[in-house]
Amino acid sequence: MALFLGIETSCDETAAAVFTDQYEIRSSIVASQSRLHAPFTGVVPEIAARAHLQQLLPVIDKALTEAQCRLEELSAIAVHHTPGLVGSLLVGVAAAKMLAVLLRIPLLAVNHIHSHIFACRLAAGGDIFPCVGLVVSGGHTVLLRCEGATQMTVLGGTRDDAAGEAFDKVAALLGLGFPGGPAVEREAATGDPTAYNFPRAFADDGRLEFSFSGLKTAVLYACYGQNARRSEPPPPGPVRANLAASFQAAVVDILVLKAKQALRRTGLRRLAVGGGVAANKALRQALQRMCDRERVELFIPPLSLCTDNAAMAAWAVELWKQGQFAPLDLDAEPTWL
Ligand code: KG4
Ligand code: ZN
C-alpha cells in the first residue's frame, strides 16, 4: 500500500491530508483563515500568502501525526498548483517540491478544479465516471464533461464572477460578514425567495455559460437604489432576509438549469457537484429534485469535502498510477481556463 501527502494552499484555507492508493483518507487537516479576512469582507491575497507560510508546516505535521505516518513512509507528494491566488499557490508548491526532493519521491501536480469533482468519487466510495461535473466555488463556476478522472474537458464557465464570489459580495453589501455563503444561507432561511425577481442570466438560451455580475448589481439596486452608496446602513431584518432568499433562489435556479442543459446536451446520466457553494442546502435540494426528475444519479460530497481541503487531492493517485510525475521546475499557475 502506498501513502501520499496532499497539500492545498490555493486560496484561504491551509490544508494537508494523508491518503492511500485505495483513496482511504487517513487524515485531513484544514486551517481556515476566515478570521483574518473577515474585516475586509473578502480574501486579501497578501494576508492569505503570509498565513499559508505560517500555517503550512504545522498543518502538514498535524496531518502526518493524525495519520500515524512518518515522512519516510510517503510514496509521493501531491500539490494543487492551479488555479488560485498566485502568492498562495507558491507556498504550497515550494513546500511540496522541497519535500519531494528531500524524500526522493515523485511530485504530483494537481488541478484544484479536478480535485473538487474527485471529492465526489471519494465520498461515493465507487466510480462516478462518466459524468457531468459542476464546480461552484469562490473562484470558479464551471461545467465539465468528465469521461474519467484524468479526462475532463470544459463545457462552459462564468463570463465574470463565480457563484461563490457573488455570495460573498452580496453578503458584504447586506452587512452579513465573511465568508458570505453560509451567512447568506442563514439569512435566506427566514426570507421569501419570491419577494424579488432577480435576473437569471442566459436562462433563455442554451449556452452553457454563467454570469453573476448583473445579479449582484440587481441586489445592490434593490437594496440601496440606483444611486447606491456603500456607506449606507444595511436594510432592516425582514427586507434583508427577503433579499438574501431571492438572491439565493436566482443562483440556485441558474445552476440547476445549466446543469440540466449540460446533462441533456451530453446524454450523460450522472452529475458530480463540488466546490464551496455545493455546501448550500437549497442548492443541494434543488439539484436532487432536478436529478430525480431527469433520472440522473447525483453525487455531492459532505460539507467538509465541498469546501477547500487537501483530501480531494487524492485525484493525484490517478496520476501516480499512470506515472505522470511533475518536473521539479513546476510553476504555480493562477489561471487555468
Ligand atoms: O471551494 P471553496 O472552499 O474555495 C474556492 O476554491 O474558492 O469555495 C469557497 C466559496 C466562498 O465564496 C463561500 O462563500 C462559498 O464557497 N460557500 C457557500 C456556502 N459555503 C461556502 N456558498 C453558499 N452557501 C454555502 N453554504
Ligand atoms: Zn476550491
Side-chain angles (χ1 to χ4, degrees), residues 52-143:
H52 287 309
L53 197 59
Q54 283 186 317
Q55 287 298 315
L56 184 55
L57 292 187
V59 164
I60 289 175
D61 199 35
K62 207 165 166 198
L64 290 167
T65 306
E66 201 166 282
Q68 299 186 325
C69 171
R70 286 178 293 114
L71 274 175
E72 306 75 55
E73 292 177 287
L74 292 170
S75 293
I77 309 289
V79 63
H80 288 142
H81 76 114
T82 190
L85 299 171
V86 71
S88 291
L89 289 166
L90 284 172
V91 178
V93 170
K97 283 186 186 187
M98 191 56 79
L99 284 169
V101 168
L102 276 175
L103 299 168
R104 297 176 185 277
I105 55 177
L107 177 67
L108 302 166
V110 184
N111 180 313
H112 180 94
I113 302 297
H114 294 170
S115 285
H116 270 307
I117 301 285
F118 201 75
C120 295
R121 160 71 183 82
L122 291 177
D127 202 11
I128 62 164
F129 302 107
C131 65
V132 167
L134 171 65
V135 176
V136 269
S137 69
H140 292 84
T141 301
V142 60
L143 281 160

Coordinates of all heavy atoms in Angstrom, one line a residue, residues 52-143:
H52 N -0.5 31.3 4.9 CA 0.0 29.9 4.5 C 1.4 29.6 4.9 O 1.7 28.5 5.4 CB -0.1 29.8 3.0 CG -1.5 29.7 2.4 ND1 -2.4 28.8 2.9 CD2 -2.1 30.4 1.4 CE1 -3.6 29.0 2.2 NE2 -3.4 29.9 1.3
L53 N 2.2 30.7 4.8 CA 3.7 30.5 5.2 C 3.8 30.1 6.7 O 4.6 29.3 7.0 CB 4.4 31.8 4.9 CG 5.9 31.8 4.8 CD1 6.4 30.8 3.8 CD2 6.4 33.2 4.6
Q54 N 2.9 30.8 7.5 CA 3.0 30.5 8.9 C 2.4 29.1 9.2 O 2.9 28.3 10.1 CB 2.1 31.5 9.7 CG 2.8 32.8 9.9 CD 2.0 33.7 10.7 OE1 0.8 33.8 10.6 NE2 2.7 34.4 11.7
Q55 N 1.3 28.8 8.6 CA 0.5 27.6 8.9 C 0.9 26.3 8.3 O 0.6 25.2 8.8 CB -1.0 27.9 8.6 CG -1.7 28.9 9.5 CD -1.7 28.4 10.9 OE1 -2.0 27.2 11.2 NE2 -1.3 29.2 11.9
L56 N 1.5 26.3 7.1 CA 1.6 25.1 6.3 C 2.3 24.0 7.0 O 1.9 22.8 7.1 CB 2.1 25.4 4.9 CG 2.2 24.1 4.0 CD1 0.8 23.5 3.9 CD2 2.7 24.5 2.6
L57 N 3.5 24.3 7.5 CA 4.3 23.2 8.2 C 3.6 22.6 9.4 O 3.5 21.4 9.5 CB 5.7 23.6 8.4 CG 6.6 23.9 7.2 CD1 8.0 24.1 7.5 CD2 6.5 22.8 6.2
P58 N 3.0 23.5 10.3 CA 2.3 22.9 11.4 C 1.1 22.0 10.9 O 0.8 21.0 11.5 CB 1.8 24.1 12.2 CG 2.7 25.2 11.8 CD 3.2 24.9 10.5
V59 N 0.4 22.4 9.9 CA -0.7 21.7 9.3 C -0.2 20.3 8.8 O -0.9 19.3 9.0 CB -1.5 22.5 8.3 CG1 -2.4 21.7 7.5 CG2 -2.3 23.6 9.0
I60 N 0.9 20.3 8.0 CA 1.4 19.1 7.5 C 1.8 18.2 8.6 O 1.5 17.0 8.6 CB 2.6 19.4 6.6 CG1 2.2 20.0 5.3 CG2 3.4 18.1 6.3 CD1 3.3 20.5 4.4
D61 N 2.5 18.7 9.6 CA 2.9 18.0 10.8 C 1.7 17.3 11.5 O 1.7 16.1 11.8 CB 3.6 18.9 11.8 CG 4.5 18.2 12.8 OD1 5.0 17.2 12.3 OD2 4.5 18.6 13.9
K62 N 0.6 18.0 11.6 CA -0.6 17.5 12.3 C -1.2 16.4 11.4 O -1.7 15.4 11.9 CB -1.6 18.7 12.4 CG -2.6 18.5 13.6 CD -3.3 19.8 13.9 CE -4.5 19.5 14.8 NZ -5.4 20.5 14.8
A63 N -1.2 16.6 10.1 CA -1.8 15.6 9.2 C -1.0 14.3 9.3 O -1.6 13.2 9.4 CB -1.8 16.1 7.8
L64 N 0.3 14.4 9.3 CA 1.1 13.2 9.4 C 0.9 12.5 10.8 O 0.8 11.3 10.9 CB 2.6 13.6 9.2 CG 3.0 14.0 7.8 CD1 4.4 14.6 7.8 CD2 3.0 12.8 6.9
T65 N 0.9 13.3 11.8 CA 0.7 12.7 13.2 C -0.6 12.0 13.3 O -0.7 10.9 13.8 CB 0.8 13.9 14.3 OG1 2.0 14.6 14.1 CG2 0.8 13.3 15.7
E66 N -1.7 12.7 12.8 CA -3.0 12.1 12.9 C -3.1 10.8 12.1 O -3.8 9.8 12.5 CB -4.0 13.1 12.4 CG -5.4 12.8 13.0 CD -6.4 13.9 12.8 OE1 -6.3 14.9 13.5 OE2 -7.2 13.9 11.8
A67 N -2.4 10.7 11.0 CA -2.4 9.5 10.2 C -1.4 8.5 10.7 O -1.3 7.4 10.1 CB -2.1 9.9 8.7
Q68 N -0.6 8.8 11.7 CA 0.4 8.0 12.2 C 1.4 7.6 11.1 O 1.6 6.4 10.9 CB -0.2 6.7 12.9 CG -1.0 7.1 14.1 CD -1.5 5.9 14.9 OE1 -1.8 4.9 14.4 NE2 -1.6 6.1 16.2
C69 N 1.8 8.6 10.4 CA 2.6 8.3 9.2 C 3.9 9.1 9.3 O 3.9 10.3 9.6 CB 1.8 8.8 7.9 SG 2.7 8.8 6.4
R70 N 5.0 8.5 9.1 CA 6.3 9.2 9.1 C 6.6 9.7 7.7 O 6.2 9.0 6.7 CB 7.4 8.3 9.6 CG 7.4 8.0 11.1 CD 8.4 7.1 11.6 NE 8.2 5.7 11.1 CZ 9.0 5.1 10.2 NH1 10.1 5.7 9.8 NH2 8.8 3.9 9.8
L71 N 7.3 10.8 7.6 CA 7.7 11.3 6.3 C 8.3 10.2 5.3 O 8.0 10.2 4.2 CB 8.7 12.5 6.4 CG 8.1 13.9 6.7 CD1 9.2 14.9 6.9 CD2 7.2 14.3 5.5
E72 N 9.1 9.4 5.9 CA 9.9 8.4 5.1 C 8.9 7.4 4.5 O 9.3 6.6 3.6 CB 10.9 7.7 5.9 CG 11.9 8.6 6.6 CD 11.4 9.3 7.9 OE1 10.8 8.5 8.7 OE2 11.4 10.5 7.9
E73 N 7.7 7.3 5.1 CA 6.8 6.3 4.6 C 6.0 6.7 3.3 O 5.3 6.0 2.7 CB 5.8 5.9 5.7 CG 6.4 5.1 6.8 CD 5.4 4.9 7.9 OE1 5.0 5.8 8.6 OE2 5.0 3.7 8.1
L74 N 6.1 8.0 3.0 CA 5.3 8.6 1.9 C 5.9 8.1 0.5 O 7.1 8.0 0.3 CB 5.4 10.1 1.9 CG 4.7 10.8 3.1 CD1 5.0 12.3 3.2 CD2 3.1 10.5 3.0
S75 N 5.0 7.9 -0.4 CA 5.4 7.4 -1.8 C 5.4 8.6 -2.7 O 6.0 8.5 -3.8 CB 4.4 6.4 -2.3 OG 4.5 5.2 -1.5
A76 N 4.6 9.6 -2.5 CA 4.6 10.8 -3.4 C 4.0 12.0 -2.6 O 3.3 11.8 -1.6 CB 3.9 10.5 -4.6
I77 N 4.3 13.2 -3.2 CA 3.7 14.4 -2.6 C 2.8 15.0 -3.7 O 3.2 15.2 -4.9 CB 4.8 15.5 -2.3 CG1 5.9 14.9 -1.4 CG2 4.1 16.7 -1.7 CD1 5.5 14.6 0.0
A78 N 1.5 15.3 -3.4 CA 0.6 15.9 -4.3 C 0.3 17.3 -3.9 O 0.1 17.6 -2.7 CB -0.7 15.1 -4.3
V79 N 0.3 18.2 -4.9 CA 0.0 19.6 -4.5 C -0.9 20.2 -5.6 O -0.8 20.0 -6.8 CB 1.3 20.4 -4.4 CG1 2.1 20.5 -5.7 CG2 1.1 21.8 -3.9
H80 N -1.9 21.0 -5.1 CA -2.7 21.9 -6.0 C -1.8 23.0 -6.5 O -1.5 23.9 -5.7 CB -3.9 22.4 -5.3 CG -4.9 21.4 -5.0 ND1 -5.7 21.4 -3.8 CD2 -5.4 20.3 -5.7 CE1 -6.5 20.3 -3.8 NE2 -6.3 19.7 -4.9
H81 N -1.5 23.0 -7.8 CA -0.6 24.0 -8.3 C -1.4 25.0 -9.2 O -0.9 26.0 -9.7 CB 0.5 23.4 -9.1 CG 0.1 22.9 -10.5 ND1 0.6 23.4 -11.7 CD2 -0.7 21.9 -10.8 CE1 0.0 22.8 -12.7 NE2 -0.8 21.9 -12.2
T82 N -2.7 24.7 -9.5 CA -3.5 25.6 -10.3 C -5.0 25.2 -10.1 O -5.3 24.1 -9.8 CB -3.2 25.4 -11.8 OG1 -3.8 26.5 -12.6 CG2 -3.6 24.1 -12.4
P83 N -5.9 26.1 -10.3 CA -5.8 27.6 -10.3 C -5.9 28.1 -8.9 O -6.2 27.4 -8.0 CB -7.0 28.0 -11.1 CG -8.1 27.0 -10.8 CD -7.3 25.7 -10.5
G84 N -5.7 29.4 -8.7 CA -5.8 30.0 -7.4 C -5.0 31.4 -7.3 O -4.6 31.9 -8.4
L85 N -4.9 31.9 -6.1 CA -4.1 33.1 -5.9 C -2.6 32.7 -6.0 O -2.2 31.8 -5.3 CB -4.4 33.7 -4.5 CG -5.9 34.0 -4.3 CD1 -6.1 34.4 -2.8 CD2 -6.3 35.2 -5.1
V86 N -1.9 33.5 -6.8 CA -0.5 33.0 -7.1 C 0.4 33.0 -5.9 O 1.1 32.0 -5.6 CB 0.1 33.8 -8.3 CG1 0.5 35.2 -7.9 CG2 1.3 33.1 -8.8
G87 N 0.3 34.0 -5.0 CA 1.1 34.0 -3.8 C 0.8 32.8 -2.9 O 1.6 32.3 -2.2
S88 N -0.5 32.5 -2.8 CA -0.9 31.3 -2.0 C -0.4 30.0 -2.6 O 0.1 29.2 -1.9 CB -2.5 31.3 -1.9 OG -2.9 32.4 -1.2
L89 N -0.6 29.8 -3.9 CA -0.2 28.6 -4.6 C 1.3 28.4 -4.4 O 1.8 27.3 -4.2 CB -0.5 28.7 -6.1 CG -2.0 28.6 -6.5 CD1 -2.2 29.0 -7.9 CD2 -2.5 27.2 -6.3
L90 N 2.1 29.5 -4.5 CA 3.5 29.4 -4.4 C 4.0 28.7 -3.1 O 5.0 28.0 -3.1 CB 4.2 30.8 -4.6 CG 4.2 31.4 -6.0 CD1 4.7 32.8 -5.9 CD2 5.1 30.6 -6.9
V91 N 3.3 29.0 -2.0 CA 3.7 28.5 -0.7 C 3.6 27.0 -0.7 O 4.5 26.2 -0.4 CB 2.9 29.1 0.4 CG1 3.3 28.5 1.8 CG2 3.1 30.6 0.4
G92 N 2.5 26.5 -1.2 CA 2.2 25.0 -1.3 C 3.2 24.3 -2.2 O 3.7 23.3 -1.9
V93 N 3.3 24.9 -3.4 CA 4.2 24.3 -4.5 C 5.6 24.3 -4.0 O 6.3 23.2 -4.1 CB 4.1 25.1 -5.8 CG1 5.1 24.6 -6.8 CG2 2.6 24.9 -6.4
A94 N 6.1 25.3 -3.4 CA 7.5 25.3 -2.9 C 7.7 24.3 -1.8 O 8.7 23.5 -1.8 CB 7.9 26.7 -2.3
A95 N 6.8 24.2 -0.9 CA 6.9 23.1 0.2 C 6.8 21.7 -0.4 O 7.6 20.9 0.0 CB 5.8 23.3 1.2
A96 N 5.9 21.5 -1.4 CA 5.8 20.2 -2.0 C 7.1 19.8 -2.7 O 7.6 18.6 -2.6 CB 4.6 20.2 -2.9
K97 N 7.7 20.7 -3.4 CA 8.9 20.4 -4.2 C 10.0 20.0 -3.2 O 10.8 19.1 -3.4 CB 9.3 21.7 -5.0 CG 8.6 21.9 -6.2 CD 9.3 23.1 -6.9 CE 8.6 23.6 -8.1 NZ 9.3 24.6 -8.8
M98 N 10.1 20.8 -2.1 CA 11.2 20.6 -1.2 C 11.1 19.2 -0.6 O 12.1 18.5 -0.4 CB 11.2 21.7 -0.1 CG 12.3 21.7 0.8 SD 13.8 21.9 -0.1 CE 13.8 23.7 -0.5
L99 N 9.9 18.8 -0.2 CA 9.6 17.5 0.4 C 10.0 16.4 -0.6 O 10.6 15.4 -0.3 CB 8.2 17.4 0.9 CG 7.9 18.1 2.2 CD1 6.4 18.2 2.5 CD2 8.6 17.5 3.4
A100 N 9.5 16.6 -1.9 CA 9.8 15.6 -2.9 C 11.3 15.4 -3.1 O 11.8 14.3 -3.2 CB 9.1 16.0 -4.2
V101 N 12.0 16.5 -3.1 CA 13.5 16.4 -3.3 C 14.1 15.7 -2.1 O 14.9 14.8 -2.3 CB 14.1 17.8 -3.5 CG1 15.6 17.8 -3.4 CG2 13.7 18.4 -4.9
L102 N 13.8 16.2 -0.9 CA 14.4 15.6 0.3 C 14.1 14.1 0.4 O 15.0 13.4 0.8 CB 13.9 16.3 1.5 CG 14.5 17.7 1.9 CD1 13.8 18.3 3.0 CD2 16.0 17.4 2.2
L103 N 12.9 13.7 0.1 CA 12.5 12.3 0.3 C 12.8 11.5 -0.9 O 12.6 10.3 -0.9 CB 11.0 12.3 0.7 CG 10.6 13.0 2.0 CD1 9.1 13.1 2.1 CD2 11.1 12.3 3.2
R104 N 13.2 12.1 -2.0 CA 13.5 11.4 -3.3 C 12.3 10.6 -3.7 O 12.3 9.4 -4.0 CB 14.7 10.5 -3.1 CG 15.9 11.2 -2.8 CD 17.1 10.2 -2.6 NE 18.3 10.9 -2.2 CZ 19.1 11.5 -3.1 NH1 18.9 11.5 -4.4 NH2 20.2 12.2 -2.6
I105 N 11.1 11.3 -3.7 CA 9.9 10.7 -4.2 C 9.2 11.6 -5.2 O 9.5 12.8 -5.3 CB 8.9 10.4 -3.0 CG1 8.6 11.7 -2.2 CG2 9.4 9.3 -2.1 CD1 7.6 11.5 -1.1
P106 N 8.3 11.0 -6.0 CA 7.6 11.8 -7.1 C 6.8 13.0 -6.6 O 6.2 12.9 -5.5 CB 6.8 10.8 -7.8 CG 7.3 9.5 -7.5 CD 7.8 9.6 -6.1
L107 N 6.7 14.0 -7.4 CA 5.9 15.2 -7.2 C 4.7 15.1 -8.1 O 4.9 14.8 -9.3 CB 6.7 16.5 -7.5 CG 6.0 17.8 -7.4 CD1 5.7 18.1 -5.9 CD2 6.9 18.9 -8.0
L108 N 3.5 15.3 -7.6 CA 2.3 15.1 -8.4 C 1.6 16.5 -8.5 O 1.2 17.0 -7.4 CB 1.3 14.1 -7.8 CG 2.0 12.7 -7.7 CD1 1.1 11.8 -6.8 CD2 2.2 12.0 -9.1
A109 N 1.4 17.0 -9.7 CA 0.8 18.4 -9.8 C -0.7 18.2 -10.1 O -1.1 17.6 -11.1 CB 1.4 19.1 -11.0
V110 N -1.5 18.8 -9.2 CA -3.0 18.5 -9.2 C -3.7 19.8 -9.5 O -3.5 20.9 -8.9 CB -3.4 17.9 -7.9 CG1 -4.9 17.6 -7.9 CG2 -2.6 16.7 -7.5
N111 N -4.7 19.7 -10.4 CA -5.6 20.8 -10.7 C -6.7 20.8 -9.6 O -7.5 19.9 -9.5 CB -6.2 20.6 -12.1 CG -7.2 21.7 -12.5 OD1 -8.1 22.1 -11.8 ND2 -7.0 22.2 -13.7
H112 N -6.9 22.0 -9.0 CA -7.8 22.1 -7.9 C -9.3 21.9 -8.3 O -10.1 21.4 -7.5 CB -7.6 23.6 -7.3 CG -8.5 24.0 -6.2 ND1 -8.1 23.9 -4.9 CD2 -9.7 24.5 -6.2 CE1 -9.0 24.3 -4.1 NE2 -10.0 24.7 -4.9
I113 N -9.6 22.3 -9.5 CA -10.9 22.1 -10.0 C -11.2 20.6 -10.2 O -12.3 20.1 -9.9 CB -11.1 22.9 -11.4 CG1 -10.9 24.3 -11.2 CG2 -12.5 22.6 -11.9 CD1 -11.8 25.1 -10.2
H114 N -10.3 19.9 -10.8 CA -10.5 18.4 -11.0 C -10.6 17.8 -9.6 O -11.4 16.8 -9.4 CB -9.2 17.8 -11.7 CG -9.1 18.3 -13.1 ND1 -8.0 18.0 -13.9 CD2 -10.0 19.0 -13.9 CE1 -8.2 18.6 -15.1 NE2 -9.3 19.2 -15.1
S115 N -9.9 18.3 -8.6 CA -10.0 17.7 -7.3 C -11.4 17.9 -6.7 O -11.9 17.0 -6.0 CB -9.0 18.4 -6.3 OG -7.7 17.9 -6.6
H116 N -12.0 19.1 -7.0 CA -13.4 19.3 -6.4 C -14.3 18.3 -7.0 O -15.2 17.8 -6.3 CB -13.8 20.7 -6.8 CG -13.5 21.8 -5.8 ND1 -13.8 21.6 -4.4 CD2 -12.9 23.0 -5.9 CE1 -13.4 22.7 -3.8 NE2 -12.8 23.5 -4.6
I117 N -14.2 17.9 -8.3 CA -15.0 16.8 -8.8 C -14.6 15.5 -8.2 O -15.5 14.7 -7.8 CB -14.8 16.7 -10.4 CG1 -15.1 18.0 -11.1 CG2 -15.6 15.5 -10.9 CD1 -16.6 18.3 -11.2
F118 N -13.3 15.3 -8.0 CA -12.9 14.0 -7.5 C -13.4 13.8 -6.0 O -13.5 12.6 -5.6 CB -11.4 13.9 -7.5 CG -10.9 12.5 -7.5 CD1 -11.0 11.6 -8.6 CD2 -10.4 11.9 -6.3 CE1 -10.6 10.3 -8.5 CE2 -10.0 10.6 -6.2 CZ -10.1 9.8 -7.4
A119 N -13.7 14.9 -5.3 CA -14.2 14.8 -3.9 C -15.5 13.9 -4.0 O -15.8 13.2 -3.0 CB -14.5 16.1 -3.4
C120 N -16.2 14.0 -5.1 CA -17.5 13.2 -5.2 C -17.1 11.7 -5.3 O -17.8 10.8 -4.7 CB -18.2 13.5 -6.5 SG -18.9 15.2 -6.5
R121 N -16.0 11.4 -6.0 CA -15.6 10.0 -6.1 C -15.1 9.5 -4.7 O -15.5 8.3 -4.3 CB -14.4 9.9 -7.1 CG -13.5 8.7 -7.0 CD -14.2 7.4 -7.5 NE -13.4 6.2 -7.3 CZ -13.2 5.5 -6.2 NH1 -13.8 5.9 -5.1 NH2 -12.5 4.4 -6.2
L122 N -14.5 10.3 -3.9 CA -14.0 9.9 -2.6 C -15.3 9.6 -1.7 O -15.3 8.6 -1.0 CB -13.2 11.0 -1.9 CG -11.8 11.3 -2.5 CD1 -11.2 12.5 -1.8 CD2 -10.9 10.1 -2.4
A123 N -16.2 10.5 -1.8 CA -17.4 10.4 -0.9 C -18.3 9.2 -1.3 O -18.8 8.5 -0.5 CB -18.3 11.7 -1.0
A124 N -18.3 8.9 -2.6 CA -19.2 7.8 -3.2 C -18.6 6.5 -2.8 O -19.3 5.5 -2.7 CB -19.4 8.0 -4.7
G125 N -17.2 6.4 -2.7 CA -16.6 5.2 -2.4 C -16.6 4.2 -3.6 O -16.3 3.0 -3.5
G126 N -17.0 4.7 -4.8 CA -17.0 3.9 -6.0 C -17.0 4.8 -7.2 O -16.9 6.0 -7.1
D127 N -17.0 4.2 -8.4 CA -16.8 5.0 -9.6 C -18.0 6.0 -9.8 O -19.1 5.7 -9.6 CB -16.7 4.1 -10.8 CG -16.0 4.8 -12.0 OD1 -15.4 5.9 -11.8 OD2 -16.0 4.2 -13.1
I128 N -17.6 7.2 -10.3 CA -18.7 8.2 -10.6 C -18.6 8.6 -12.1 O -19.4 9.4 -12.5 CB -18.6 9.5 -9.8 CG1 -17.2 10.2 -10.0 CG2 -18.7 9.2 -8.3 CD1 -17.2 11.6 -9.5
F129 N -17.7 8.0 -12.8 CA -17.4 8.4 -14.2 C -18.1 7.4 -15.2 O -18.2 6.3 -14.8 CB -15.9 8.5 -14.5 CG -15.3 9.5 -13.6 CD1 -14.4 9.1 -12.6 CD2 -15.4 10.9 -13.7 CE1 -13.8 10.0 -11.7 CE2 -14.8 11.8 -12.9 CZ -14.0 11.3 -11.9
P130 N -18.6 7.9 -16.4 CA -18.5 9.2 -16.9 C -19.7 10.1 -16.3 O -20.7 9.5 -15.9 CB -18.8 9.0 -18.4 CG -19.6 7.8 -18.5 CD -19.1 6.9 -17.3
C131 N -19.4 11.4 -16.1 CA -20.4 12.2 -15.5 C -20.2 13.7 -16.1 O -19.2 14.0 -16.6 CB -20.3 12.2 -14.0 SG -18.7 12.9 -13.4
V132 N -21.3 14.5 -15.8 CA -21.1 15.9 -16.0 C -20.6 16.4 -14.6 O -21.1 16.0 -13.6 CB -22.5 16.6 -16.3 CG1 -22.4 18.1 -16.1 CG2 -22.9 16.3 -17.7
G133 N -19.6 17.3 -14.6 CA -19.1 17.9 -13.4 C -19.5 19.3 -13.3 O -19.5 20.0 -14.3
L134 N -19.9 19.8 -12.1 CA -20.2 21.2 -11.9 C -19.4 21.6 -10.7 O -19.6 21.1 -9.6 CB -21.8 21.3 -11.6 CG -22.2 22.7 -11.1 CD1 -22.0 23.8 -12.2 CD2 -23.7 22.7 -10.7
V135 N -18.5 22.6 -10.9 CA -17.7 23.1 -9.8 C -18.2 24.5 -9.5 O -18.2 25.4 -10.4 CB -16.2 23.1 -10.0 CG1 -15.5 23.7 -8.9 CG2 -15.8 21.6 -10.2
V136 N -18.7 24.7 -8.3 CA -19.2 26.1 -7.9 C -18.4 26.5 -6.6 O -18.7 26.1 -5.5 CB -20.7 26.0 -7.6 CG1 -21.5 26.4 -8.8 CG2 -21.2 24.7 -7.0
S137 N -17.4 27.4 -6.8 CA -16.6 27.8 -5.7 C -16.5 29.3 -5.7 O -17.2 30.0 -6.4 CB -15.2 27.1 -5.8 OG -14.5 27.7 -6.9
G138 N -15.5 29.8 -4.8 CA -15.4 31.2 -4.7 C -14.7 31.8 -6.0 O -14.9 32.9 -6.4
G139 N -13.9 31.0 -6.6 CA -13.1 31.5 -7.8 C -13.7 30.9 -9.1 O -13.3 31.5 -10.2
H140 N -14.5 29.9 -9.1 CA -14.9 29.3 -10.4 C -16.4 28.8 -10.3 O -16.9 28.4 -9.3 CB -14.1 28.0 -10.7 CG -12.7 28.4 -11.0 ND1 -11.7 28.6 -10.0 CD2 -12.1 28.6 -12.2 CE1 -10.6 29.0 -10.6 NE2 -10.8 29.0 -11.9
T141 N -17.0 28.9 -11.5 CA -18.3 28.2 -11.8 C -18.1 27.6 -13.1 O -18.1 28.3 -14.1 CB -19.4 29.3 -11.7 OG1 -19.4 29.9 -10.4 CG2 -20.8 28.6 -11.9
V142 N -18.0 26.3 -13.2 CA -17.7 25.7 -14.4 C -18.4 24.3 -14.6 O -18.5 23.6 -13.6 CB -16.1 25.6 -14.6 CG1 -15.5 24.8 -13.5 CG2 -15.7 25.1 -15.9
L143 N -18.8 24.0 -15.8 CA -19.4 22.7 -16.1 C -18.3 21.9 -16.9 O -17.7 22.5 -17.8 CB -20.6 22.9 -17.0 CG -21.9 23.3 -16.2 CD1 -22.9 23.9 -17.2 CD2 -22.5 22.0 -15.5

